[in-house]
């Protein structure tokens, strides 16, 4: 009973989670049990694609948590996502072992390639999954904590904060591009073989990863709802709307911000960690500031401060990208760019807002309004 | 122009030998060649010239060498123009009969031919009937040296200077004695200095310590790298204590000067990088700083300015020298028009929602990029540099400031000053400031705020376009060029303090110089990372940038 | 009170879920509308080149090249009596998207072969996909080597087909004794420079006569680095720059060289990534005499090349467009693939792979390109000097074609490795010392 508390009144979220649950049940069945060639068959390609969208959705939820409820427009969340991804990538790299092209039992291929003699210290331990899992949470979390601690304490706000988050991810991108850093430079980490002993190319592993992503999204969503419906969340909204007043009342604004900000970064890191084995590569391009901007756009299109809107936005934009880059390879940027402009101008509350309005118009008063 | 040593390598050695032969003959025939008896046709040259049509560079090189030698021997005045045309690639041959010709454009895609040897006019032909005589690097070096040798006694001091400079660092005794002979009669100071330098470097190898000392005296503090190299070599082998000390002192003097040069150079590099940052950011300082619009399409407005430069050059072929002067106002207007259009169609619906302007303009930036890809090309386009933008200003033999950077630095300052003037001294500027400080009050006072918004955004966009003209002279003009500047521009504006133009100027210059100071020891990438980290930390210290805005406007 | 989700939204969500799944499972048909009825009549060829993003500058040309080749082949009657059909997608310079698109092409569109990729990272990103789904990729760009996959055919140059002959030319013909190895910081320059450094040292070049410099992608401020090169080159010995600077960064680099007065006679720069296409974005006046090493130049004086250029101009409807080395590589790859399919009588991947080894086609520069057992091809090495019209004057050409070497002999980790996809070895990274096939293939057994 207490478990459902955070979802109270969140009709959109309930529908979203129900859809998620149904997809999570249907897709594996349609993929594994329905034979290929049957029109109902869902190909592994689609499964992986869906899994990727789900990790993006989780990332978008993390962004919406800080943007929608805390008022921090992060233009650097891609950094936390990528760091989580790199931590997972390092684990996957170590799993390759002597199956790399040079057959070196310890060093990943790119290190042999560059004549490195031994494993750098920060690669130690990544052969253990528990350690990698810890790092997936710890590295983005710690970076966010230090960054947030500095920024919130000195009351950096608004666009200044946005721009320095952008500087953060930009600096990390440049750093990871350097081959001396020991993360594979521009090529990043790739050619993964298996995860926890499961072959990454097997359909069953892909289904497993898809389900893990769905579960992570559901849990992440639930946790975010839990935060925003808790007292902490209500203070956060107050901070978003009138920071000085909250401070004068006696709340430690910087601590509220720091807690939520750090949690959001950890969530982004988890999303990144699930993303990497599904797409098969992590490279510094993920740190690109443009990526971070784009993911803010997903949230805006879905509808800010609704959480489920972020999920809708992420899935929709990326589905659109997949379709358009195939169908209109030469013109899809017009479509995408146009969509961004139109949504911002005509749908300031995003698709979630549109849905709300439609529902209100259709007069279904029986459904409770979302309180957020 | 060339200030690099030729010592040592095998191929160059061969060239030097040829050069010395040339000098002997050039010196002996200098008088007669000035005596204008160019009527005696030299059949030797004719044969050699015919060999230039060969495909083998070795044969062509030998032929060119022979032409130079024959020219020197006989004083044939056709030799130098031939060699010069060959050097710059102006020599062609007619395919039908392999006749060597000079060409001049004669109307539409036809070319007027002149026989390179007889000077006879051969009528007009199409491009396809001609083939260019190509030269390679080796030949170019050899040709340059040959021309220098032939012009060492030229009546034109400029040519003599060029020739003398070409010989710096030579240790060929024949060359040196020719240079000595010329030095004795030389009355032009710069030429004499250059010749003295050639002699001095050679004299470092004299057996008598006194001669060496005198030579060292000449080279004391001399910034030509050849001087430094020769002194360095001497220091390694010298046994005489006094000479050693003098060499050491001379080298120290050079090093001191070099250090000073190095500092000036780094400062210039930094300011120049800074000026690029300022130019790119200053339009943003208006749209973002004054209007509060987070304009992600700013980079694309810069790109549009650069493409305007390209189009202007396409529309006025042959007038490259003047094209930039036309391009600057054109780019201002074109980008400005785009800016006004963006403001009227999208941004005006978003005032009061600054973060959403980011999203909409991000969409616009994608559209503009793809627009350029589809309408012009996905490839980069060529923007020509006018000749006054090429080359460098030689302050001393060890320090040269490139013209393009110099002009762009000046240009950035001029644009900045003009913008300041517009904002501080014009009615529009007053209205802009009024609207940005208190929109409601400004409207109450009768300011037509919608018009002001459009014009302000147009102004910021126009300046971005002007920046595009400058950047087209430095880097690629392609659909992606805007993205390279957008992030840096935001950093500069935020570091300087949003809403403060002076802040943008100081921030841009500071970041540029800081970057260049760090680059030598940190490398280009690490320097940039350190600058970013510095900005992050600096914002912690001063959350509103270098020059924070005060008062009410700053509160939101 | 806890709101148990009311019945209505539950119904709604079931509807959405079903709709979504249905639309996704039907996605295959949507994306390739002609899939069913066209299957028997056409052979599909995937084109995986970025049409947007940073790599669009280089890759759009290659997309057009493949389309041209397909059109040409169809005019000749197609392959195996069927028409070829191009499936063009845009991976948008986004590396994970490359993998996704590759999977889509093979799994959903069922293409017979894919022509694509430019950067190493895009190739690395799609490699596991091609190996998993047993697809065919023709990769047309010069690269760092150290790879030989069963499913990839490398029609661009390996380092031994570009870098080493170029250095030999500078050393022997121009008497260069001091070397600046300048590159963009990614794997191709890193590897090439490692190979060159080892090679130069073997040839007696001292440590202090080699300067190595790396810059980030798209580096635009070259002032300090060019000044450093100038200093390095003014110390008495003949100096040359070996440039592995990538695409976009070249324009500002060459402009800076010209402005700081470094001419090709003073310090020649030989580039491995600068071709006609890159030069078409530069005013080449100040660059005359700088060099590039490739396996093809547009200025190659052969009839085949003239025909190729004419066809290209007619196809692209712009007589000003240039041709370049990766375009030739695609042409060679395409020719070989068509031959292999005809020989095998099927587009089946394994059959084509077996059939293609040993096949030959003519280079545009004369001579023949032969597909080797390591999936690389033989290529002539050409060195050209930049002319003021943006073309190259060829100053050197190897007498014979050089066979592409997948694994460099100058790198510690790979000197004993070879790739051989014929029986009995059938391995991309076979260690000739231990007589073992390393890595993934071993594990797969």
């Amino acid at each position: 009973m207490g478990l459902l508390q955070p979802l109270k009144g969140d009709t959109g979220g309930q529908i979203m989670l129900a859809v998620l649950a149904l997809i999570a049940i249907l897709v594996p069945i349609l993929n594994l049990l329905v034979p290929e060639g049957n029109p109902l068959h869902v190909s592994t390609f689609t499964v992986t694609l869906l899994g990727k969208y789900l990790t993006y959705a989780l990332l978008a939820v993390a962004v919406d948590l800080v943007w929608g409820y805390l008022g921090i427009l992060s233009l650097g969340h891609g950094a936390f996502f990528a760091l989580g991804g790199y931590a997972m990538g390092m684990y996957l790299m170590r799993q390759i072992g002597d199956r790399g092209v040079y057959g070196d039992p310890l060093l990943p291929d790119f290190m042999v390639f560059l004549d490195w003699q031994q494993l750098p210290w920060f690669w130690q331990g990544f052969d253990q999954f528990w350690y990698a899992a810890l790092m997936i949470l710890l590295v983005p979390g710690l970076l966010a904590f230090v960054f947030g601690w500095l920024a919130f304490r000195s009351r950096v706000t608004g666009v200044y904060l946005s721009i320095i988050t952008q500087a953060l991810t930009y600096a990390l991108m440049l750093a990871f591009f350097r081959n001396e850093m020991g993360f594979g430079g521009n090529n990043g980490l790739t050619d993964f073989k298996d995860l926890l002993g499961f072959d990454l190319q097997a359909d069953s592993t892909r289904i497993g990863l898809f389900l893990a992503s769905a579960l992570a999204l559901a849990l992440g969503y639930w946790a975010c709802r839990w935060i925003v419906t808790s007292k902490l969340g209500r203070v956060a909204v107050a901070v978003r709307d009138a920071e000085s007043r909250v401070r004068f009342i006696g709340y430690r604004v910087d601590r509220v911000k720091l807690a939520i900000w750090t949690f959001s970064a950890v969530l982004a890191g988890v999303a990144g960690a699930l993303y990497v084995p599904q797409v098969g590569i992590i490279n510094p391009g993920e740190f690109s500031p443009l990526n971070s901007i784009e993911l803010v756009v997903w949230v805006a299109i879905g509808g800010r401060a609704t959480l489920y809107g972020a999920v809708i936005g992420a899935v929709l934009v990326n589905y659109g990208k997949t379709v358009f880059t195939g169908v209109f390879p030469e013109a899809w940027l017009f479509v995408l760019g146009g969509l961004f402009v139109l949504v911002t101008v005509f749908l300031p509350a995003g698709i979630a807002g549109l849905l709300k309005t439609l529902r209100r118009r259709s007069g279904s008063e029986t459904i409770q309004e979302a309180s957020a | 122009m060339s200030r690099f040593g030729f010592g040592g390598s095998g191929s160059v050695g061969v060239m030097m030998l040829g050069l010395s032969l040339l000098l002997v003959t050039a010196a002996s025939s200098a008088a007669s060649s000035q005596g204008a008896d160019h009527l005696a046709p030299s059949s030797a040259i004719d044969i050699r010239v015919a060999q230039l049509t060969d495909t083998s560079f070795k044969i062509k090189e030998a032929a060119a060498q022979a032409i130079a030698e024959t020219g020197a021997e006989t004083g044939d005045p056709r030799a130098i123009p031939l060699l010069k045309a060959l050097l710059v690639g102006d020599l062609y041959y007619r395919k039908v009969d392999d006749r060597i010709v000079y060409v001049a454009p004669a109307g539409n895609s036809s070319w007027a031919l002149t026989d390179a040897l007889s000077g006879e006019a051969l009528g007009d032909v199409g491009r396809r009937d001609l083939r260019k005589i190509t030269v390679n690097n080796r030949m170019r070096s050899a040709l340059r040296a040959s021309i220098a040798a032939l012009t060492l006694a030229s009546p034109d001091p400029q040519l003599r200077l060029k020739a003398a400079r070409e010989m710096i660092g030579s240790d060929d005794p024949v060359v040196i004695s020719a240079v000595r002979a010329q030095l004795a009669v030389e009355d032009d100071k710069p030429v004499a200095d250059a010749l003295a330098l050639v002699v001095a470097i050679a004299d470092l190898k004299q057996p008598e310590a006194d001669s060496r000392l005198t030579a060292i005296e000449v080279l004391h503090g001399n910034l030509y790298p050849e001087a430094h190299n020769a002194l360095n070599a001497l220091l390694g082998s010298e046994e005489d204590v006094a000479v050693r000390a003098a060499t050491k002192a001379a080298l120290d003097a050079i090093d001191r000067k070099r250090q000073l040069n190095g500092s000036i150079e780094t400062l210039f590099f930094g300011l120049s990088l800074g000026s690029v940052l300022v130019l790119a950011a200053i339009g943003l300082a208006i749209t973002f700083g004054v209007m509060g619009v987070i304009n992600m399409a700013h980079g694309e407005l810069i790109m549009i300015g650069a493409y305007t430069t390209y189009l202007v050059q396409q529309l006025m072929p042959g007038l490259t020298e003047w094209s930039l002067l036309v391009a600057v106002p054109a780019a201002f207007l074109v980008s400005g028009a785009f800016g006004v259009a963006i403001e009227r169609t999208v941004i005006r619906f978003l005032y009061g929602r600054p973060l959403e302007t980011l999203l909409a303009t991000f969409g616009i930036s994608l559209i503009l990029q793809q627009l350029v890809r589809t309408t012009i090309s996905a490839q980069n386009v060529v923007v020509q540099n006018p000749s006054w933008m090429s080359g460098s200003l030689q302050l001393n033999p060890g320090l040269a400031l490139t013209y393009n950077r110099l002009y762009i630095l000046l240009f950035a300052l001029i644009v900045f000053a003009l913008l300041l003037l517009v904002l501080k001294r014009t009615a529009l500027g007053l209205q802009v400031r009024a609207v940005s400080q208190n929109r409601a009050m400004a409207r109450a006072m009768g300011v037509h705020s919608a018009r002001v918004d459009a014009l302000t955004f147009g102004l910021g966009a126009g300046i971005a376009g002007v920046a595009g003209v400058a950047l087209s002279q430095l880097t690629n003009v392609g659909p992606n060029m805007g993205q390279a500047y957008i992030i840096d521009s935001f950093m500069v504006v935020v570091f300087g303090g949003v809403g403060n133009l002076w802040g943008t100027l100081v921030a841009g210059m500071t970041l540029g110089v800081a970057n260049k100071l760090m680059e030598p020891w940190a490398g280009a990438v690490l320097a940039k990372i350190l600058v970013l980290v510095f900005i992050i930390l600096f914002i912690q210290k001063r959350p509103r940038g270098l020059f924070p805005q005060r008062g009410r406007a700053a509160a939101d | 009170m806890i709101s148990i989700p009311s019945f209505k939204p539950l119904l709604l969500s079931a509807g959405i879920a079903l709709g979504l799944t249905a639309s996704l499972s039907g996605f295959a048909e949507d994306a390739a509308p002609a899939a069913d009825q066209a299957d028997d009549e056409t052979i599909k060829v995937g084109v995986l080149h970025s049409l947007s993003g940073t790599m669009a500058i280089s890759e759009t040309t290659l997309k057009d090249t493949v389309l041209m080749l397909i059109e040409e082949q169809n005019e000749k009657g197609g392959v195996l009596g069927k028409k070829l059909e191009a499936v063009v997608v845009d991976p948008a310079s986004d590396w994970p998207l490359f993998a996704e698109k590759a999977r889509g092409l093979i799994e959903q569109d069922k293409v017979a072969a894919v022509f694509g990729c430019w950067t190493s990272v895009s190739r690395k990103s799609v490699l596991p996909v091609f190996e998993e789904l047993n697809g065919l990729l023709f990769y047309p760009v010069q690269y760092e080597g150290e790879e030989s996959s069963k499913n990839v055919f490398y029609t661009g140059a390996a380092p031994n087909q570009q870098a080493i002959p170029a250095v030999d030319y500078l050393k022997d013909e121009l008497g260069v004794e001091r070397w600046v190895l300048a590159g963009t910081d990614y794997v191709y320059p890193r590897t090439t420079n490692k190979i060159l450094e080892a090679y130069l040292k073997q040839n007696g070049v001292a440590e202090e006569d080699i300067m190595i410099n790396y810059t980030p992608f798209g580096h635009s401020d070259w002032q300090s680095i060019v000044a450093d090169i100038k200093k390095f080159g003014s110390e008495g010995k003949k100096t040359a720059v070996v440039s592995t600077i990538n695409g976009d960064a070249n324009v500002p680099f060459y402009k800076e060289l010209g402005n700081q007065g470094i001419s090709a006679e003073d310090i020649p720069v030989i580039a491995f990534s600068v071709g006609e296409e890159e030069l078409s974005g530069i005013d080449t006046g100040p660059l005359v005499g700088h060099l590039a090493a490739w396996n093809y130049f547009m200025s190659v004086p052969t009839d085949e090349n003239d025909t190729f250029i004419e066809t290209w101009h007619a196809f692209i409807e712009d007589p000003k467009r240039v041709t370049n080395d990766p375009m030739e590589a695609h042409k060679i790859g395409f020719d070989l693939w068509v031959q292999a399919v005809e020989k095998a009588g099927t587009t089946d991947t394994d059959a084509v792979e077996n059939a293609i080894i040993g096949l030959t086609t003519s280079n545009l520069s004369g001579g023949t390109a032969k597909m080797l057992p390591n999936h690389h091809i033989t290529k002539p090495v050409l060195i050209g000097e930049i002319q003021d019209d943006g073309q190259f004057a060829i100053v050197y050409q190897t007498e014979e074609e050089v066979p592409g070497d997948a694994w460099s002999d100058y790198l510690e980790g790979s000197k004993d490795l070879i790739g051989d996809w014929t029986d009995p070895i059938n391995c991309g990274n076979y260690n000739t010392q231990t007589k073992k096939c390393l890595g993934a293939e071993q594990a797969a057994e």
Side-chain angles (χ1 to χ4, degrees), chain C residues 21 126 300 443:
Chain C
T21 333
V126 302
V300 164

Side-chain angles (χ1 to χ4, degrees), chain B residues 211-455:
Chain B
S211 318
R212 294 205 297 276
L213 276 175
T214 333
I216 291 167
E217 202 53 46
V218 177
L219 299 178
H220 190 91
N222 191 300
L223 280 167
Y224 278 95
E226 288 84 357
H228 185 266
N229 295 340
L231 285 170
N232 232 349
L234 182 66
L235 194 62
S237 62
E238 184 59 59
E239 279 154 11
D240 187 302
V241 183
V243 180
R244 261 191 88 84
T247 313
K248 192 99 191 24
L251 276 172
D252 285 347
I254 294 176
D255 287 340
R256 273 196 303 278
K257 280 195 189 173
R258 279 189 173 185
Q259 227 152 33
L260 182 67
N261 272 348
S263 311
I264 298 173
E265 205 173 38
T266 311
L267 185 68
F268 175 72
F269 288 167
L271 288 177
S272 144
L273 176 60
S275 68
V276 170
L277 291 174
V278 169
L279 267 176
I282 199 145
L284 199 68
I286 307 251
T287 50
F288 176 47
V290 179
M291 300 180 74
V293 175
I294 305 181
N295 182 14
M296 293 305 295
H298 179 73
E300 278 60 42
L301 293 168
I302 295 180
M303 171 192 76
I304 288 171
Y307 270 96
T308 310
T309 317
Y310 164 72
L311 292 175
V312 164
Q313 291 191 344
Q314 296 298 303
L315 289 177
M316 39 193 288
L319 291 170
T320 315
E321 299 299 301
W322 302 98
S323 59
L324 290 190
L325 298 183
V326 181
V328 169
F332 183 83
L333 292 177
V334 174
S335 286
F338 268 92
V340 171
I342 293 171
E343 202 277 341
R344 284 291 87 191
T345 52
V346 178
I347 300 200
R348 72 181 168 124
F349 301 107
L350 303 172
Y351 285 116
R353 295 190 275 155
L355 296 178
E356 282 167 42
T357 58
L358 177 146
L359 311 177
T361 49
F362 182 61
I364 293 172
S365 84
L366 297 183
I367 293 176
L368 289 179
Q369 275 174 42
Q370 198 62 20
L371 191 68
V372 169
R373 276 198 200 101
T374 27
T375 54
I376 300 184
S377 152
Q379 278 74 40
N380 288 341
V381 295
V382 195
V383 174
Q384 251 108 30
N385 302 324
S387 61
W388 49 270
M389 282 289 267
S390 310
S392 48
L393 174 69
Q394 198 81 33
L395 289 183
N396 65 41
L399 181 63
L401 307 182
T402 50
Y403 280 123
N404 62 348
R405 299 272 177 185
L406 212 53
Y407 285 126
I408 284 169
L409 181 56
L410 285 177
F411 184 66
L413 295 176
I414 293 170
V415 169
F416 179 80
L418 283 178
L419 192 61
L420 215 56
L421 215 63
V422 167
L423 285 182
K424 297 269 149 131
R425 291 270 185 275
T426 64
L428 175 70
L430 188 66
Q431 293 177 348
V432 169
R433 282 181 292 144
V435 171
S436 80
Q437 277 168 20
N438 191 329
R439 178 175 294 266
M441 186 61 83
R443 288 180 65 136
M445 303 290 285
V447 176
H448 187 358
S449 74
R451 192 179 138 262
V452 172
D453 284 334
L455 287 179

Side-chain angles (χ1 to χ4, degrees), chain A residues 36 42 53 56 70 99 111 135 137 158 226 232 239 268 273 297 316 318 332 341 354 368:
Chain A
E36 214 169 316
V42 173
Y53 296 165
Y56 281 151
L70 203 52
R99 287 169 297 168
M111 293 189 194
M135 287 298 137
L137 306 176
W226 184 79
L232 179 69
V239 169
V297 175
L316 213 64
N318 283 292
W332 67 277
V341 175
L354 179 72
Q368 281 179 293

Side-chain angles (χ1 to χ4, degrees), chain B residues 55-203:
Chain B
T55 48
S56 150
F57 286 110
K58 287 223 162 75
I59 294 181
K60 282 197 262 190
E61 191 179 335
Q65 190 67 50
I67 293 170
E69 277 165 28
T70 325
E73 258 168 53
T74 60
D76 192 323
R78 296 173 301 178
I80 295 180
L82 262 170
L83 295 175
K84 279 188 175 163
L86 189 58
L87 176 66
V88 296
D90 278 348
L91 210 56
Y92 289 77
Y93 66 91
R94 198 158 67 173
K95 276 191 198 162
V96 280
D97 56 2
D98 282 3
R99 218 153 149 176
I100 311 282
V101 291
Y102 297 124
V103 297
N108 262 349
S109 67
S110 80
W111 303 80
L113 307 187
T114 318
D115 189 295
L117 287 167
S118 64
E120 174 192 349
L122 297 175
D124 298 356
V125 297
R127 179 106 213 173
R128 282 178 180 274
D129 301 317
L130 293 170
R131 190 151 274 179
K132 187 167 162 177
I133 300 177
T134 51
V135 288
N136 68 0
N137 263 325
R138 256 177 78 132
M139 277 185 79
R140 267 188 288 271
S141 300
L143 283 169
R144 208 155 268 182
S146 301
I147 293 169
L150 288 171
T151 48
L152 188 59
S154 152
D156 180 356
Q158 284 305 318
L159 285 179
R160 293 204 301 278
L161 185 63
K162 224 172 145 186
R165 291 232 170 109
E166 201 69 41
M167 288 167 184
I168 292 171
S170 165
D171 55 358
D172 184 319
V174 186
V175 175
I176 301 302
S177 62
V179 172
R180 272 186 220 280
Q182 182 62 33
L183 181 57
V185 296
E186 184 58 62
D187 48 10
D188 187 84
K189 175 86 167 85
V191 182
D193 284 351
L195 292 171
L197 180 64
V198 179
V199 172
I201 290 175
D203 277 352

Side-chain angles (χ1 to χ4, degrees), chain B residues 519-542:
Chain B
E519 208 179 295
W521 56 269
V525 193
L526 211 53
K528 190 145 194 198
I529 295 172
L530 289 172
V531 165
L532 288 169
V533 172
F534 167 74
I535 293 177
I536 294 176
L537 294 177
F538 183 86
I539 293 294
Q540 319 293 341
K541 203 80 203 147
R542 303 188 64 153

Side-chain angles (χ1 to χ4, degrees), chain A residues 1-2 4-5 7-11 14-16 18-20 22-23 26-27 30 36 39-46 48-50 52-53 56 98-103 112-115 174 177-180 185-188 190-193 200-203 206 275 279-281 283 285-286 315 318-319 321-330 332-333 364 366-368, chain C residues 1-6 8-10 12-18 20-27 29-31 51-53 60 63-64 67 88-92 94-97 99-101 103-105 107-108 110 119-125 127-129 131-132 144-146 185-187 190-191 194 214 216-217 407 411-414 417 429 438-443:
Chain A
M1 138 174 185
L4 287 176
Q5 188 69 35
L7 297 177
K8 188 181 152 191
D10 178 21
T11 319
Q14 290 163 8
I15 296 177
M16 191 275 293
V19 170
L20 186 64
L22 276 172
I23 289 181
L26 275 178
V27 166
L30 294 181
E36 214 169 316
L40 280 178
H41 174 77
V42 173
S43 65
T44 313
F45 170 69
T46 312
T48 318
L49 216 54
L50 275 174
K52 189 176 98 169
Y53 296 165
Y56 281 151
D98 63 358
R99 287 169 297 168
V101 290
Y102 298 107
V112 182
F113 208 34
L114 293 173
D115 268 349
L174 292 174
F177 263 126
R178 300 181 72 228
N179 273 286
E180 284 93 350
N186 177 54
N187 272 15
T190 179
D191 207 14
F192 309 130
K193 308 282 184 213
L200 275 176
Q201 301 192 343
D203 284 1
R206 291 185 191 280
Y275 168 81
V279 299
I281 183 171
N283 113 318
E286 299 295 336
V315 173
N318 283 292
Y319 178 70
K321 240 174 144 175
T322 302
V323 175
F324 296 147
T325 47
V327 182
F328 318 112
E330 321 242 357
W332 67 277
L333 274 177
S364 53
T366 46
I367 297 168
Q368 281 179 293
Chain C
M1 201 199 88
I2 295 142
S3 91
I4 307 287
S6 61
K8 223 165 152 186
L10 203 64
L12 182 63
S13 47
I16 296 175
L18 283 172
L20 213 62
T21 333
S23 80
L24 281 163
S25 56
F27 175 60
E29 279 76 19
D30 289 348
L51 310 179
S52 58
T60 36
K63 175 213 67 175
D64 291 331
L67 293 184
V88 180
V89 292
D90 178 15
D94 174 353
W95 321 131
L97 202 55
E100 182 188 313
K101 292 287 163 197
R103 185 173 285 278
L105 284 174
E107 218 174 57
Q108 308 234 310
K110 314 245 182 284
T119 57
S120 277
V121 54
S122 63
R123 190 190 68 252
K124 291 274 184 207
S125 169
L127 191 66
V129 177
E131 288 180 349
E132 177 195 340
E144 67 277 1
E146 304 296 291
D185 188 5
Y186 73 110
V187 66
R190 288 261 170 192
T191 317
K194 267 227 140 65
Y214 291 106
F217 281 95
W407 302 94
L411 290 180
E412 202 46 45
S414 66
L417 296 181
N429 41 356
L438 298 177
E441 282 67 32
Q442 183 189 29

